[in-house]
Amino acid sequence: MVNQDQGGNLFGKWEIHKDTWCISNRWSNFMYLLIGEEKALLIDSGTGTGNLKEFVKTITDKPVMVACTHGHYDHTGGNYDFGEAWMHRESEYTAVNAFKNQGDSFYNSKEFPEVKINYLEDGDVIDLGGRRVKVLHIPAHHEGSIAFIDENTRSLFTGDELESGQVLLFVRRENLPYKEAAAVHKKNMERLKSLRSEYDYIWPGHNGLPLLPDRYLDDFIKLDEMVINGTAEESDNTGGYGWMCDMSVGPFAKAGHGVRASYGVASLVYVKD
Ligand SMILES: [Zn+2]
């Protein structure tokens, strides 16, 4: 294995479909490499530890287009290895400033060298050569969130907008009141559900994968609804998302008092005040 980072952590890789790889970064971030006849698409670039470009070369020698599901540091950190990345225009600010608007010293201390940023929009189709990938704008967790549907493997990639740990609704560049954020999330989940005939698997940016589409979409739609109408069961347990098990430390320390609402397999964390 190559590319040990300073913390002794490694990238990992495995082929989830033909010409489709999952790359793990510290086993907490998942990136995806879709290889077409002409080029490859790397969905997200991790935290910037190690050299992702070198690692990707162990899988393919085709030109690589980097596309970020959204602008958070743990999805854009490796863009600098490639020098160029694609994302929704609403992702650009946080992609080059991390959690700056929340004033966190740890992430503000990271260096953000120049990266050429190109925009992707809802409805765009990325042609990798014999392989088409559709772009959907689904902003709730982040203003710039985009999902990808790969026609060849009938896979949906959702970044942080749908995953098995929890969806955070207080980490946008400009946060929405939590019920509004849940309403936007619900609308996005309903849209993904309306496209259900186009995919069989959901591949998120963190935690367990792949997800069973029907169960997750239905439970998230129901949970969003319950948050909006005030009937969701809430707890103070914001733990369960990696090392950030206490909102009084880390990048979310200034976010406010977080609560978790859960229903079935769906879980949301938001700030009520
Ligand atoms: Zn995120």
Side-chain angles (χ1 to χ4, degrees):
M1 191 69 80
V2 295
N3 239 314
Q4 190 162 328
D5 71 14
Q6 288 173 336
N9 299 297
L10 301 170
F11 291 118
K13 63 181 178 186
W14 66 98
E15 196 168 22
I16 56 177
H17 290 285
K18 184 177 181 297
D19 294 327
T20 308
W21 291 75
C22 181
I23 298 173
S24 74
N25 180 197
R26 298 179 158 185
W27 296 101
S28 66
N29 274 69
F30 297 102
M31 300 161 266
Y32 301 95
L33 186 69
L34 281 51
I35 305 169
E37 284 159 19
E38 284 155 28
K39 63 180 177 181
L41 175 68
L42 178 65
I43 298 176
D44 284 338
S45 64
T47 58
T49 52
N51 187 322
L52 186 59
K53 188 175 183 181
E54 289 303 312
F55 189 80
V56 166
K57 277 187 192 158
T58 68
I59 304 174
T60 183
D61 54 11
K62 297 214 163 109
V64 176
M65 171 182 174
V66 179
C68 302
T69 57
H70 61 295
H72 285 153
Y73 73 96
D74 53 336
H75 300 260
T76 58
N79 290 352
Y80 312 107
D81 293 338
F82 295 87
E84 181 170 15
W86 295 72
M87 62 188 70
H88 191 272
R89 66 178 65 241
E90 292 287 340
S91 281
E92 184 171 9
Y93 180 88
T94 40
V96 299
N97 291 285
F99 282 99
K100 198 167 193 168
N101 60 324
Q102 299 200 18
D104 180 78
S105 58
F106 178 77
Y107 291 109
N108 287 340
S109 70
K110 286 161 66 79
E111 286 181 25
F112 289 92
E114 285 294 302
V115 175
K116 182 175 188 302
I117 291 178
N118 310 292
Y119 297 139
L120 287 171
E121 284 173 26
D122 189 84
D124 282 351
V125 175
I126 301 165
D127 188 351
L128 304 176
R131 187 168 193 176
R132 286 160 40 96
V133 181
K134 293 206 292 206
V135 176
L136 306 164
H137 186 212
I138 53 162
H141 167 83
H142 188 279
E143 290 93 330
S145 283
I146 47 177
F148 301 90
I149 295 178
D150 172 35
E151 293 179 350
N152 282 24
T153 62
R154 295 179 50 79
S155 293
L156 169 67
F157 301 88
T158 50
D160 288 359
E161 296 286 349
L162 174 54
E163 56 129 307
S164 64
Q166 60 282 302
V167 173
L168 306 180
L169 292 181
F170 60 92
V171 286
R172 296 163 62 102
R173 181 182 170 195
E174 310 261 347
N175 281 324
L176 295 172
Y178 75 100
K179 287 189 182 185
E180 273 179 44
V184 174
H185 190 260
K186 178 170 181 273
K187 195 168 135 239
N188 295 336
M189 294 301 105
E190 286 168 343
R191 182 170 178 218
L192 294 183
K193 190 171 165 155
S194 76
L195 300 169
R196 178 63 181 87
S197 62
E198 298 183 25
Y199 56 87
D200 300 319
Y201 307 92
I202 295 177
W203 300 92
H206 304 280
N207 300 313
L209 49 96
L211 305 180
L212 301 170
D214 297 323
R215 183 75 200 273
Y216 273 87
L217 287 167
D218 288 346
D219 284 1
F220 265 108
I221 289 167
K222 179 75 183 161
L223 178 59
D224 286 325
E225 221 169 77
M226 291 162 78
V227 170
I228 295 162
N229 66 26
T231 59
E233 200 174 304
E234 294 171 343
S235 91
D236 284 334
N237 175 18
T238 53
Y241 44 105
W243 57 273
M244 293 173 284
C245 57
D246 179 351
M247 284 182 56
S248 66
V249 296
F252 307 138
K254 295 188 174 80
H257 179 70
V259 296
R260 173 183 297 272
S262 299
Y263 175 81
V265 294
S267 200
L268 295 168
V269 175
Y270 46 87
V271 172
K272 291 180 84 169
D273 42 65

